[in-house]
């Protein structure tokens, strides 16, 4: 996708602080962190959101690749013992501002028991 910010990050056209990369998955630091650890995990293939992604075999495969990479990403950011929150905002009214599926990996401080 030519004008997608995260596709540009995948292609190296916009700089990012990479945490993890493999053939299918990229993890990089969020530009506006809300916690000491705030990493975005994305599929390299463009899917507009999680709902769209989950509706195709290609998307389900890409989701599997993200979950396959998750333990290593968590290890790299030092959250294995501390724990973390994994968030996906799906759609504009859920707060999704970049229309390329991404998961927020958040941790490094107490996040409390409430989701909102
Ligand atoms: P969401 O609201 O769920 O769509 O989250 C989008 C996140 O993407 C938001 O926390 C800020 C982050 N972000 C937006 N543009 C860039 C960028 O160019 N680089 C990086 N590293 N993060 C970005």
């Amino acid at each position: 996708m030519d004008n997608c910010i995260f596709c540009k990050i995948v292609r190296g056209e916009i700089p990012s602080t990479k945490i993890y990369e493999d053939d299918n998955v990229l993890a990089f630091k969020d530009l506006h962190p809300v916690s000491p650890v705030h990493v975005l995990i994305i599929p390299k293939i463009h899917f507009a959101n999680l709902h769209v992604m989950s509706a195709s075999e290609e998307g389900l495969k890409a989701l599997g690749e993200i979950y396959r990479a998750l333990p290593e990403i968590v290890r790299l950011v030092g959250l294995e013992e501390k724990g973390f929150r994994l968030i996906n905002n799906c759609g504009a009214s859920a707060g999704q501002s970049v229309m390329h599926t991404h998961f927020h990996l958040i941790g490094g401080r107490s996040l409390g028991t409430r989701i909102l």
Side-chain angles (χ1 to χ4, degrees):
M1 294 286 284
D2 288 354
N3 290 322
C4 169
I5 294 171
F6 288 175
C7 285
K8 288 182 179 180
I9 287 176
V10 168
R11 293 195 296 265
E13 296 167 11
I14 292 177
S16 67
T17 305
K18 290 181 187 174
I19 299 293
Y20 172 91
E21 182 169 17
D22 64 29
D23 289 346
N24 307 293
V25 177
L26 180 64
F28 54 95
K29 289 188 180 180
D30 193 291
L31 206 53
H32 305 297
V34 299
S35 56
V37 175
H38 187 168
V39 169
L40 298 174
I41 307 175
I42 68 169
K44 286 190 170 178
I45 301 174
H46 182 93
F47 297 94
N49 61 50
L50 185 61
H51 183 67
V52 168
M53 188 173 182
S54 307
S56 73
E57 286 304 319
E58 186 187 29
L60 289 172
K61 185 167 176 293
L63 273 175
E65 299 295 345
I66 286 174
Y67 280 101
R68 187 198 309 277
L70 186 63
E72 175 64 2
I73 297 168
V74 166
R75 188 189 71 75
L76 287 168
V77 296
L79 293 182
E80 274 173 313
E81 304 299 328
K82 292 178 181 164
F84 56 86
R85 187 169 288 166
L86 192 65
I87 298 170
N88 171 261
N89 296 326
C90 181
S93 60
Q96 184 178 1
S97 61
V98 179
M99 298 304 161
H100 178 130
T101 304
H102 52 280
F103 293 90
H104 298 257
L105 174 65
I106 290 168
R109 67 171 169 85
S110 175
L111 297 170
T113 56
R114 294 173 63 93
I115 293 172
L116 290 174

